[in-house]
Amino acid sequence: MLIGIGSYQNLQPKLFLHGPKNDLVAMEGLLAGTLGFDRSVIRVLKDEQATRATILSSIEEWLVAGTQPGDRAYLYYSGHGLQVADIDGDEEDGLDEALAPFDVVAGIKDWDGAVTDDELDAILDRLKGRAVTLVIDAGYSSTISRSLSGEVSAGIDGARFLARPEAKPMEQALTRGLRIDLGVVDKPSRVKESGIVAWSASAPYQVAWDDVRLPIEGRQGVFTKAYVAGQTGAAADANANGLTSNAELFEYITAQSAAYCASQEKCETLDPQLETKALNLGASAVVPVQAGTEVTARYQPVAGDGAAPASYQDADAVDAVGDIVGKADAGDVRISINRPTTMKAGDVFKLTVASKAAGSLILIDVNANGTATQIFPNEFAQKITPLAADVPLTLPDEYYGFDFEASGEGDSAFVALVISDAVDLADVAPKTRGLKVELSARETLSEIVSRLQQAWTDDLERRGIRWSVGTLRYHVE
């Protein structure tokens, strides 16, 4: 089901959006093309067709009653997001995120007739057993920054967010980081446990945007434009292995969103969100062209719960590292070894890691068998972390009391993650398992990266967590 609302029954034309009508065309093309849906199973609700009553009844009839366990269910929304007072007390900031149907109306203090996240949660609960994808191109910000505050009620060209009717502009004297209706990030989502893949254009504290760089009649949502482009070509395939993973698609959309914000004075930050099970990060967002053919055995189906369609992963655990991490190796983190990268079993070596940005280091060794060893953090290292910018760290140092020796055979890779924010990763990368425990490379990396994709909320500049990655491949004969 595709829902796109650009004009609204009870809103002034200056609050209308030009992008949703084009988003619907692009999304229908994506579904019927790359994603393999028959057009007969795609229902589209546009503008006046998308009242609150019709949205809810159509979702119930078309997606819930019209599917069964094992089917795919896909729900997309393009239009205004908003927030309303929380009724059941499940929101820390007292506000429910919501979608604006065609007939939403402003009350004295709040919006009436919105479709809340609690209502969507109830619907998603009834879709258990399906392969569910939820895609929302709307903003939910309760925290409009000062640069937008003078236009909160009047609307901002391209902004996919309706401020609460009672929102007032902030005083210019206030600190730049302070925000209207200052809230916290939404309640912890149940999506990751349910198996749903949920995409959204912005974090709960941000505004989503129409791309105002485009001519009015050709506008699209910044998110939808990148979401479609990342699945219809190789642009998002950061490691160029022919498979665009969910993590790679996420990083591509994030980069495109950041580039848009950098070009627009009123767009301070824009952090798309992906919520799914950690192991889905390295799985294909779209089926690789060669999957299932006899031409190559490069990809293998991902073990799942039986829901269609099958997703794929790179069969080579070392090549799959890039799919799981999602980011291209841009040289921000550099790993070097004090000997040639082709070694014999038993060869002694040292590693040196340097990062352009300061941060905490997680260093993992991934071998061809899919086994990982956490090299750092560990209980043997005595040097203080985090890393300082451009100051190399060599492992092992004199405090270890032992050497690193090459072992096994075949291709392997060192993967260094440097996290610039003070994120507590002790539960997914505890130093007690460093150099001691044999790990699943896919599971270990997926759990770490999943945590790094969450929003940073420990200061007023709400944004994505800052982290970077570097890899070094080597071979043991």
mmCIF file of all heavy atoms in Angstrom, residues 163-179:
data_model
loop_
_atom_site.group_PDB
_atom_site.id
_atom_site.type_symbol
_atom_site.label_atom_id
_atom_site.label_comp_id
_atom_site.label_asym_id
_atom_site.label_seq_id
_atom_site.Cartn_x
_atom_site.Cartn_y
_atom_site.Cartn_z
ATOM 1 N N ALA A 163 3.894 21.675 12.682
ATOM 2 C CA ALA A 163 4.116 22.006 14.086
ATOM 3 C C ALA A 163 2.805 21.921 14.845
ATOM 4 O O ALA A 163 1.719 22.097 14.286
ATOM 5 C CB ALA A 163 4.691 23.416 14.206
ATOM 6 N N ARG A 164 2.890 21.650 16.136
ATOM 7 C CA ARG A 164 1.686 21.620 16.960
ATOM 8 C C ARG A 164 1.054 23.009 16.973
ATOM 9 O O ARG A 164 1.749 24.019 16.962
ATOM 10 C CB ARG A 164 2.024 21.168 18.387
ATOM 11 C CG ARG A 164 2.617 19.762 18.425
ATOM 12 C CD ARG A 164 2.853 19.322 19.848
ATOM 13 N NE ARG A 164 1.588 19.010 20.504
ATOM 14 C CZ ARG A 164 1.426 18.963 21.819
ATOM 15 N NH1 ARG A 164 2.436 19.274 22.615
ATOM 16 N NH2 ARG A 164 0.267 18.640 22.342
ATOM 17 N N PRO A 165 -0.287 23.085 16.958
ATOM 18 C CA PRO A 165 -0.947 24.390 16.890
ATOM 19 C C PRO A 165 -0.531 25.363 17.975
ATOM 20 O O PRO A 165 -0.560 26.572 17.779
ATOM 21 C CB PRO A 165 -2.432 24.013 17.019
ATOM 22 C CG PRO A 165 -2.513 22.635 16.489
ATOM 23 C CD PRO A 165 -1.238 21.962 16.908
ATOM 24 N N GLU A 166 -0.099 24.837 19.133
ATOM 25 C CA GLU A 166 0.260 25.731 20.229
ATOM 26 C C GLU A 166 1.731 26.131 20.207
ATOM 27 O O GLU A 166 2.183 26.883 21.051
ATOM 28 C CB GLU A 166 -0.042 25.059 21.566
ATOM 29 C CG GLU A 166 0.791 23.800 21.803
ATOM 30 C CD GLU A 166 0.508 23.170 23.158
ATOM 31 O OE1 GLU A 166 -0.327 23.694 23.897
ATOM 32 O OE2 GLU A 166 1.143 22.153 23.446
ATOM 33 N N ALA A 167 2.512 25.631 19.229
ATOM 34 C CA ALA A 167 3.944 25.934 19.185
ATOM 35 C C ALA A 167 4.167 27.425 18.994
ATOM 36 O O ALA A 167 3.501 28.077 18.209
ATOM 37 C CB ALA A 167 4.616 25.167 18.062
ATOM 38 N N LYS A 168 5.113 27.977 19.715
ATOM 39 C CA LYS A 168 5.432 29.402 19.646
ATOM 40 C C LYS A 168 6.887 29.578 19.230
ATOM 41 O O LYS A 168 7.742 28.771 19.592
ATOM 42 C CB LYS A 168 5.219 30.068 21.013
ATOM 43 C CG LYS A 168 3.787 29.976 21.506
ATOM 44 C CD LYS A 168 2.832 30.765 20.631
ATOM 45 C CE LYS A 168 1.451 30.871 21.258
ATOM 46 N NZ LYS A 168 0.807 29.580 21.459
ATOM 47 N N PRO A 169 7.196 30.655 18.497
ATOM 48 C CA PRO A 169 8.593 30.918 18.146
ATOM 49 C C PRO A 169 9.454 31.122 19.388
ATOM 50 O O PRO A 169 8.981 31.616 20.411
ATOM 51 C CB PRO A 169 8.520 32.203 17.313
ATOM 52 C CG PRO A 169 7.113 32.243 16.809
ATOM 53 C CD PRO A 169 6.283 31.629 17.902
ATOM 54 N N MET A 170 10.710 30.766 19.279
ATOM 55 C CA MET A 170 11.635 30.936 20.391
ATOM 56 C C MET A 170 12.234 32.330 20.380
ATOM 57 O O MET A 170 12.297 32.989 19.349
ATOM 58 C CB MET A 170 12.771 29.905 20.291
ATOM 59 C CG MET A 170 12.301 28.480 20.461
ATOM 60 S SD MET A 170 13.659 27.333 20.190
ATOM 61 C CE MET A 170 14.743 27.817 21.504
ATOM 62 N N GLU A 171 12.665 32.754 21.531
ATOM 63 C CA GLU A 171 13.347 34.042 21.619
ATOM 64 C C GLU A 171 14.724 33.926 20.960
ATOM 65 O O GLU A 171 15.426 32.941 21.122
ATOM 66 C CB GLU A 171 13.517 34.441 23.093
ATOM 67 C CG GLU A 171 12.197 34.686 23.816
ATOM 68 C CD GLU A 171 11.428 35.871 23.239
ATOM 69 O OE1 GLU A 171 12.089 36.807 22.726
ATOM 70 O OE2 GLU A 171 10.196 35.849 23.282
ATOM 71 N N GLN A 172 15.100 34.950 20.211
ATOM 72 C CA GLN A 172 16.367 34.916 19.514
ATOM 73 C C GLN A 172 17.547 34.823 20.479
ATOM 74 O O GLN A 172 18.616 34.366 20.112
ATOM 75 C CB GLN A 172 16.509 36.173 18.648
ATOM 76 C CG GLN A 172 15.502 36.223 17.502
ATOM 77 C CD GLN A 172 15.745 35.121 16.485
ATOM 78 O OE1 GLN A 172 16.880 34.909 16.081
ATOM 79 N NE2 GLN A 172 14.703 34.426 16.082
ATOM 80 N N ALA A 173 17.344 35.266 21.712
ATOM 81 C CA ALA A 173 18.451 35.289 22.665
ATOM 82 C C ALA A 173 18.812 33.900 23.180
ATOM 83 O O ALA A 173 19.858 33.714 23.784
ATOM 84 C CB ALA A 173 18.091 36.181 23.852
ATOM 85 N N LEU A 174 17.926 32.928 22.979
ATOM 86 C CA LEU A 174 18.199 31.603 23.498
ATOM 87 C C LEU A 174 19.382 30.957 22.777
ATOM 88 O O LEU A 174 19.678 31.278 21.637
ATOM 89 C CB LEU A 174 16.971 30.707 23.355
ATOM 90 C CG LEU A 174 15.765 31.104 24.211
ATOM 91 C CD1 LEU A 174 14.629 30.123 23.997
ATOM 92 C CD2 LEU A 174 16.135 31.149 25.685
ATOM 93 N N THR A 175 20.023 30.034 23.478
ATOM 94 C CA THR A 175 21.152 29.333 22.901
ATOM 95 C C THR A 175 20.753 28.641 21.600
ATOM 96 O O THR A 175 19.658 28.103 21.500
ATOM 97 C CB THR A 175 21.664 28.271 23.900
ATOM 98 O OG1 THR A 175 21.948 28.936 25.122
ATOM 99 C CG2 THR A 175 22.894 27.570 23.391
ATOM 100 N N ARG A 176 21.640 28.638 20.645
ATOM 101 C CA ARG A 176 21.321 28.087 19.325
ATOM 102 C C ARG A 176 20.805 26.654 19.406
ATOM 103 O O ARG A 176 19.921 26.253 18.657
ATOM 104 C CB ARG A 176 22.575 28.130 18.447
ATOM 105 C CG ARG A 176 22.340 27.577 17.065
ATOM 106 C CD ARG A 176 23.594 27.719 16.217
ATOM 107 N NE ARG A 176 23.427 27.111 14.922
ATOM 108 C CZ ARG A 176 22.812 27.688 13.903
ATOM 109 N NH1 ARG A 176 22.285 28.871 14.051
ATOM 110 N NH2 ARG A 176 22.703 27.079 12.742
ATOM 111 N N GLY A 177 21.334 25.858 20.334
ATOM 112 C CA GLY A 177 20.930 24.453 20.393
ATOM 113 C C GLY A 177 19.593 24.214 21.038
ATOM 114 O O GLY A 177 19.048 23.136 20.924
ATOM 115 N N LEU A 178 19.045 25.197 21.771
ATOM 116 C CA LEU A 178 17.766 24.987 22.429
ATOM 117 C C LEU A 178 16.656 24.910 21.400
ATOM 118 O O LEU A 178 16.706 25.541 20.354
ATOM 119 C CB LEU A 178 17.485 26.111 23.428
ATOM 120 C CG LEU A 178 18.428 26.164 24.616
ATOM 121 C CD1 LEU A 178 18.052 27.333 25.518
ATOM 122 C CD2 LEU A 178 18.391 24.873 25.414
ATOM 123 N N ARG A 179 15.603 24.154 21.732
ATOM 124 C CA ARG A 179 14.600 23.884 20.726
ATOM 125 C C ARG A 179 13.194 23.986 21.285
ATOM 126 O O ARG A 179 12.956 23.839 22.476
ATOM 127 C CB ARG A 179 14.812 22.469 20.153
ATOM 128 C CG ARG A 179 16.193 22.329 19.494
ATOM 129 C CD ARG A 179 16.540 20.871 19.270
ATOM 130 N NE ARG A 179 17.894 20.738 18.766
ATOM 131 C CZ ARG A 179 18.214 20.703 17.485
ATOM 132 N NH1 ARG A 179 17.294 20.809 16.574
ATOM 133 N NH2 ARG A 179 19.462 20.572 17.102
#
